[in-house]
Amino acid sequence: MSDAHEHSHAPANFNRAFAIGIGLNIVFVAIEAFYGWKINSLALLADAGHNLSDVAGLVLAWGGALAGKLRPNVRHTYGWKRGSILAAFANALLLLVAIGALVWEAVGRLVSPDPLAGTEGGTIMAVAAVGIVVNTVTALLFMRGGKKDLNIRGAFLHMAADALVSGGVVVAGALTLWMGWVWLDPVVSLLIAAVILLGTWSLFRQSLHLLFDGVPDSVDLMAVRQSLLDLPGVTQVHDLHVWAMGTSQIAMTAHLITPGGHPDDAFYRHAADVLHDRFEITHVTLQVVREPFMPLCGEVAPS
């Protein structure tokens, strides 16, 4: 059995982004809680509790990122890279719960409008404006990593969603003070909840898919098979498996049939380079034999 491993392009370090984001959001929770208590606003106090869950979400994502960097050992030969997938999945669940709470609150306000909307609307809008700044800055810290790392994308979506909610509060509050439309705030909240759900559902689906060793969305399995068949001397590909080790690293194993004999090191180096450059597969294990002798394990047949 022969192995070819490519370990370049390690996940980017977002420790500073997490530390800043968590610090900013803890300060904002304190501001919301203080003014909620001062003006007796249940809405601000409830949102302070919601933003406290955002801090928990950031801590969770940070923990998943740190777990993914732990070195392998004899008990965990891949390390704890899957921790980042678990963190992304947990963040998706937190967002779905937050959406449910937002919808519940909005429906409640449609049935029983908040009397504070007309008396303390200015204070609520000012606090929400602070929330826009805090959540936008935090989201921007994670934006560059959200395209390639599902865990970082979860942190980005969490913060972007809250910035959107705070923006909706400011706009709805201004129109309510100007036009007296008390019903506008809950309607805007429902619209925002629908927008957040669209992004969150994708995060939930992808993280759940990866938890069950699904082929990452960025990888075309049949194209991988064809790339292996295109290698010199390869006539068949058996037991091809591709899965995510974490939210930023992809692994692959396969049995290659080469009737002409066993290849040299250049063959494995070329195979690893092709798989890395075309599919960003960073961990490649290839078993090369002249004729198949291992039983197939229910792999997907080529189309």
Side-chain angles (χ1 to χ4, degrees):
M1 182 177 290
S2 301
D3 299 332
H5 294 286
E6 173 63 50
H7 294 278
S8 63
H9 294 277
N13 190 323
F14 283 88
N15 289 338
R16 184 168 174 268
F18 279 117
I20 294 174
I22 290 171
L24 286 174
N25 278 273
I26 287 177
V27 171
F28 180 55
V29 167
I31 292 173
E32 269 199 313
F34 171 75
Y35 280 100
W37 165 79
K38 184 177 181 180
I39 67 174
N40 194 29
S41 169
L42 183 60
L44 282 181
L45 290 173
D47 198 50
H50 164 70
N51 282 295
L52 190 60
S53 75
D54 292 338
V55 174
L58 285 175
V59 171
L60 190 64
W62 195 4
L66 293 175
K69 296 179 183 297
L70 294 178
R71 295 180 63 83
N73 55 39
V74 294
R75 295 280 293 172
H76 299 90
T77 56
Y78 271 138
W80 294 77
K81 293 179 176 60
R82 184 148 297 195
S84 58
I85 301 177
L86 286 169
F89 179 69
N91 247 325
L93 288 179
L94 277 175
L95 275 167
L96 290 174
V97 171
I99 291 169
L102 182 61
V103 170
W104 180 268
E105 177 71 15
V107 172
R109 289 190 187 183
L110 279 174
V111 175
S112 302
D114 185 1
L116 284 173
T119 59
E120 297 291 353
T123 301
I124 294 174
M125 286 169 55
V127 174
V130 174
I132 293 176
V133 175
V134 169
N135 290 311
T136 299
V137 168
T138 307
L140 290 175
L141 293 173
F142 299 106
M143 186 169 65
R144 69 182 176 88
K147 293 181 180 180
K148 292 188 175 182
D149 190 321
L150 199 63
N151 184 37
I152 301 302
R153 181 184 167 197
F156 169 76
L157 280 176
H158 226 129
M159 295 300 101
D162 278 358
L164 191 61
V165 170
S166 297
V169 170
V170 171
V171 172
L175 289 174
T176 298
L177 287 175
W178 179 37
M179 304 295 293
W181 295 342
V182 179
W183 53 266
L184 185 61
D185 178 68
V187 169
V188 170
S189 297
L190 290 173
L191 292 174
I192 291 173
V195 172
I196 298 173
L197 180 61
L198 291 176
T200 303
W201 185 254
S202 175
L203 177 67
F204 175 79
R205 180 189 61 79
Q206 290 185 51
S207 57
L208 182 63
H209 176 71
L210 295 184
L211 279 176
F212 285 91
D213 289 329
V215 178
D217 288 352
S218 61
V219 176
D220 182 338
L221 189 65
M222 295 310 163
V224 172
R225 180 184 294 277
Q226 188 58 53
S227 293
L228 293 173
L229 285 170
D230 290 341
L231 295 173
V234 176
T235 59
Q236 297 180 56
V237 176
H238 291 169
D239 288 343
L240 172 61
H241 301 282
V242 179
W243 71 99
M245 298 171 62
T247 51
S248 61
Q249 292 180 302
I250 303 173
M252 189 214 79
T253 61
H255 296 170
L256 306 182
I257 313 303
T258 59
H262 291 282
D264 56 14
D265 288 350
F267 172 90
Y268 295 109
R269 189 177 299 111
H270 173 63
D273 288 343
V274 167
L275 293 166
H276 177 270
D277 295 342
R278 289 194 60 187
F279 308 104
E280 296 189 356
I281 298 175
T282 53
H283 291 257
V284 179
T285 302
L286 301 174
Q287 178 178 338
V288 180
V289 295
R290 292 188 178 185
E291 59 183 42
F293 62 89
M294 297 289 289
L296 300 182
C297 56
E299 63 175 323
V300 177
S303 58

